[in-house]
Amino acid sequence: DIVMTQTPLSLSVTPGQPASISCKSSRSLLHREGKTFLYWYLQKPGQPPQLLIYEVSNRFSGVPDRFSGSGSGTDFTLRISRVEAEDVGVYYCMQSIQLPLTFGGGTKVEIK
Amino acid sequence: QLVESGGGVVQPGGSLRLNCAASGFIFSSYGMHWVRQAPGKGLEWVAFIRPDGSNKYYEDSVKGRFSISRDNSKNTLDLQMNSLRAEDTAVYFCAKGDSGGHYGVDFWGQGALVTVSS
């Protein structure tokens, strides 16, 4: 199974300030067809996860442009350019290059 | 929209069947997953079924106990859970595969709570 390692475990951010979350995979997520299968989700309190970013850097429909994803191979980053109060929750990375799908342990983001 | 039902409290060794009703998209065109989340814990993938139901895949700890199925005529996804254990206690999410042609997930249901306890 591919192990996904997220850091940090938690973040406390002042509104309007940037935030960054790292995700590393135990093997490359680059598929032979050229796509890289790394996803980012936000799970707000009491809600199911919601897709933010797919295939490393593509924002899902309706996701604000303050969210961006980057990386390649085994190292990936989610950035929030200016954190807002509605961004609180737990962020997860996930690989989908192979089954079983595996997730990072989560990064809890709170507002200072 | 994905709406799960069928959760509840069951004794160890018991069975439960979860159902997911899908709407708002062409159900028969997408693979579907079940993903679970134990109380206060992270996300754990459980099972996947291809759009036409031809292939099914399971997480090792549920193989032989859980069975995923779908009815494309009714736009429903099921998870039959047998020989339940305390460690199966979790919220179970029905999740829609994305259009990338691989195993990505782009939409999740609200979840159904399964509690295995005597």
Side-chain angles (χ1 to χ4, degrees):
Chain A
D1 298 358
I2 297 176
V3 176
M4 306 296 288
T5 304
Q6 259 181 263
T7 55
L9 217 55
S10 65
L11 271 179
S12 184
V13 188
T14 301
Q17 292 301 301
S20 180
I21 300 170
S22 171
C23 177
K24 296 183 189 297
S25 59
S26 60
R27 61 149 278 200
S28 176
L29 304 184
L30 173 62
H31 194 266
R32 59 180 179 274
E33 68 186 40
K35 292 183 180 180
T36 300
F37 292 105
L38 186 281
Y39 290 63
W40 289 98
Y41 299 90
L42 165 59
Q43 187 174 29
K44 296 182 179 181
Q47 295 186 22
Q50 58 188 78
L51 177 61
L52 297 174
I53 303 285
Y54 64 96
E55 295 170 15
V56 180
S57 59
N58 299 286
R59 270 189 304 276
F60 190 55
S61 174
V63 174
D65 61 7
R66 63 179 181 274
F67 291 94
S68 64
S70 63
S72 63
T74 61
D75 287 357
F76 306 94
T77 302
L78 175 71
R79 289 187 177 86
I80 311 173
S81 59
R82 296 172 305 279
V83 172
E84 297 187 5
E86 66 182 25
D87 300 337
V88 298
V90 181
Y91 290 76
Y92 294 96
C93 60
M94 182 197 83
Q95 66 78 21
S96 69
I97 194 170
Q98 68 180 48
L99 297 177
L101 298 184
T102 48
F103 298 85
T107 297
K108 186 173 184 178
V109 172
E110 60 180 23
I111 299 296
K112 278 184 184 173
Chain B
Q1 188 179 10
L2 298 170
V3 179
E4 300 93 337
S5 61
V9 181
V10 60
Q11 291 190 340
S15 298
L16 212 55
R17 189 176 186 89
L18 299 181
N19 176 266
C20 172
S23 61
F25 64 99
I26 303 173
F27 182 70
S28 59
S29 295
Y30 296 92
M32 295 293 295
H33 299 265
W34 286 100
V35 178
R36 66 186 178 184
Q37 186 170 37
K41 302 296 185 184
L43 300 165
E44 180 185 39
W45 173 79
V46 174
F48 172 75
I49 186 168
R50 292 203 181 276
D52 63 358
S54 58
N55 293 92
K56 306 171 185 181
Y57 306 87
Y58 300 93
E59 191 264 330
D60 283 347
S61 72
V62 308
K63 272 181 194 170
R65 301 189 299 124
F66 289 14
S67 178
I68 188 172
S69 61
R70 64 191 297 160
D71 186 334
N72 286 345
S73 68
K74 296 180 180 177
N75 290 350
T76 58
L77 175 74
D78 285 346
L79 184 68
Q80 176 66 42
M81 303 184 292
N82 300 327
S83 304
L84 282 160
R85 307 166 180 167
E87 54 265 35
D88 295 319
T89 294
V91 173
Y92 285 72
F93 297 104
C94 164
K96 172 184 167 289
D98 70 0
S99 54
H102 220 66
Y103 302 114
V105 171
D106 62 6
F107 192 74
W108 305 63
Q110 289 295 315
L113 177 61
V114 173
T115 303
V116 184
S117 173
S118 54

